[in-house]
Amino acid sequence: MLTSYGWSERLQNDFAPYAAEGLVPARILIQHRGGYRLVTPDGESDGLASGRLLKTTSEADRPATGDWVAGEARDGQFLVQHLLPRSTAFIRKASGSRGGAQVVAANADVALLVASLNADLNLRRLERYLATAYESGAQPVIVLTKADLADGLEDTVAEVEAIAFGAPVLAISSKTGQGLDALLEHLQPGRTAVLLGSSGAGKSTLLNALAGEERMDTGAIREADDRGRHTTTHRELVLMPYGGLILDTPGMRELGLWEASGGVSEAFEDVETLAAQCKFSDCGHGREPGCAVRAAIAAGDLPEERWLAYQKLQGELAFEKRKEDPHAALVNKRLWITRNKQGRARMKAKRGEDPS
Ligand SMILES: Nc1nc2c(ncn2[C@@H]2O[C@H](COP(=O)(O)OP(=O)(O)OP(=O)(O)O)[C@@H](O)[C@H]2O)c(=O)[nH]1
Ligand SMILES: [Mg+2]
Ligand SMILES: [Zn+2]
């Protein structure tokens, strides 16, 4: 039963001590204020986190959609006792004054970074999403939706490819089915993909198109400014007919960086490679002689905007680091250790073959 939801040998090993306590595994499908919807070895069930789990953990350590947990059925509810280690996690700075980290999606193998070709395609925002995706440990795939409405499709795809730095870029239409087969090649049975992107980008419509039925509600965008209306309000993991899973999320303009320094390096590998070639190792990339960055910008090899975006992200990261609370840093460190290293290795290998 759980195999189709992505249960693996690694999870089996992580779960072993809990099996000895008589607990059973489950995966969280939906997370809402009142509790969880889970899939257990006996089918779907509503559930709650145990008081002890809530008391002893901070927000980022609490079960979120996509998480695997250990627990037990009690009075018709599944009582979640423990969180199993995550292979990947998308962590967002929680809004509000308390700060803290919020887990947007756990255990996603693939990150579908969704943006509409219709309007509001923002390369800088895609760069930030890419950095966060690399940081999460999931493999990013950029999905440009509404190809049926787009003019100059090829130019736009080329522009996005120039900042994607090896991540696949696919133009699709959920209305005509264009590009869906190419997308399915990245979505294998047993693997989990998470849909991320602004409201109205077409995340839920894409899920429905791939499902062949209306699994999620969708909503028209506002005509005045092409923005979405925040139709999806909860995170939900859906088992798809092709055997894989897709996690739909409410639209977010920004994921918000959470110490994504590793991710920034991967998303801006071209910039960092250049910077390493400057004559002076402490080059400030201003007026220093032999600055490879300035030379590349002058030669038109590195777009100035991309350089500025990189500097801005570095600045934001430094700011986050300064105000970060020590507990959140610790949580992040643990994720670094448990996340999926294979995916990153695969991405690296791929980029080695095709360094476009
Ligand atoms: N023409 C066209 N319209 C699309 C396509 N994909 C989505 N749409 C439309 O875009 C609007 C928003 O789609 P949703 O799927 O609700 O967007 P979402 O990203 O899930 O938005 P939130 O749930 O608010 O985050 C709807 O009116 C869809 O019909 C597409 O490929 N082509
Ligand atoms: Mg939606
Ligand atoms: Zn320099």
Side-chain angles (χ1 to χ4, degrees):
M1 171 85 203
L2 292 182
T3 311
S4 54
Y5 285 85
W7 185 249
S8 65
E9 219 176 286
R10 174 185 72 79
L11 287 160
Q12 187 76 49
N13 289 333
D14 290 337
F15 181 70
Y18 304 124
E21 289 175 32
L23 300 178
V24 294
R27 192 169 192 193
I28 296 178
L29 302 176
I30 304 177
Q31 175 188 11
H32 47 79
R33 282 201 184 282
Y36 305 114
R37 183 84 186 157
L38 306 102
V39 58
T40 78
D42 300 322
E44 288 194 23
S45 168
D46 289 321
L48 289 168
S50 75
R52 196 182 48 85
L53 182 66
L54 292 177
K55 238 195 231 135
T56 56
T57 52
S58 71
E59 187 146 350
D61 279 336
R62 284 183 201 143
T65 308
D67 263 325
W68 288 95
V69 297
E72 61 202 310
R74 213 185 267 177
D75 308 327
Q77 288 258 14
F78 190 88
L79 195 64
V80 177
Q81 304 281 17
H82 303 279
L83 173 67
L84 298 188
R86 293 169 177 143
S87 60
T88 72
F90 271 89
I91 303 181
R92 187 189 195 210
K93 282 182 288 181
S95 51
S97 53
R98 278 187 315 133
Q102 181 187 42
V103 179
V104 172
N107 299 312
D109 304 293
V110 176
L112 302 175
L113 310 180
V114 181
S116 167
L117 284 159
N118 187 27
D120 204 19
L121 186 72
N122 182 325
L123 295 178
R124 306 283 86 84
R125 189 188 306 151
L126 271 176
E127 278 169 340
R128 293 193 289 276
Y129 260 101
L130 264 175
T132 314
Y134 280 122
E135 186 62 15
S136 77
Q139 278 180 268
V141 175
I142 297 179
V143 180
L144 305 176
T145 58
K146 312 193 191 183
D148 54 295
L149 299 177
D151 302 318
L153 186 71
E154 277 166 29
D155 289 349
T156 313
V157 170
E159 267 182 85
V160 174
E161 275 172 346
I163 61 126
F165 209 66
V169 179
L170 304 173
I172 64 116
S173 166
S174 301
K175 295 274 139 112
T176 67
Q178 175 187 346
L180 295 188
D181 285 341
L183 176 57
L184 278 169
E185 285 176 24
H186 297 275
L187 307 173
Q188 281 115 33
R191 307 239 299 160
T192 300
V194 59
L195 290 162
L196 298 164
S198 303
S199 177
K203 300 180 294 298
S204 304
T205 308
L206 174 57
L207 190 156
N208 291 342
L210 293 170
E213 59 177 318
E214 302 295 304
R215 291 295 305 264
M216 300 295 297
D217 286 341
T218 61
I221 55 176
R222 300 190 302 213
E223 282 191 15
D225 59 5
D226 288 335
R227 293 235 183 126
R229 297 168 193 268
H230 293 284
T231 307
T232 305
T233 52
H234 65 279
R235 307 186 188 105
E236 181 162 350
L237 185 67
V238 179
L239 181 61
M240 304 295 289
Y242 62 81
L245 297 127
I246 297 188
L247 202 167
D248 195 9
T249 65
M252 290 176 289
R253 284 184 72 74
E254 299 288 346
L255 267 172
L257 287 171
W258 191 270
E259 211 200 326
S261 45
V264 171
S265 291
E266 296 207 40
F268 289 88
E269 208 171 304
D270 53 338
V271 177
E272 299 214 331
T273 303
L274 273 174
Q277 290 163 11
C278 296
K279 184 167 170 198
F280 300 109
S281 62
D282 61 347
C283 183
H285 317 302
R287 289 173 192 279
E288 290 87 345
C291 174
V293 172
R294 283 283 144 209
I297 293 171
D301 292 337
L302 174 66
E304 175 114 50
E305 310 82 67
R306 185 163 168 80
W307 169 242
L308 294 175
Y310 172 76
Q311 285 185 308
K312 183 160 177 281
L313 273 182
Q314 293 291 6
E316 280 170 20
L317 283 173
F319 178 70
E320 285 309 322
K321 269 216 178 74
R322 282 196 299 277
K323 68 170 196 186
E324 167 178 284
D325 72 288
H327 177 73
L330 186 72
V331 167
N332 203 45
K333 201 168 213 162
R334 250 179 277 146
L335 284 163
W336 261 96
I337 295 161
T338 56
R339 76 197 169 151
N340 183 352
K341 291 202 171 95
Q342 274 176 340
R344 294 159 67 91
R346 257 198 306 279
M347 281 305 296
K348 280 224 173 81
K350 201 163 168 222
R351 271 178 292 171
E353 283 158 28
D354 179 24
S356 54

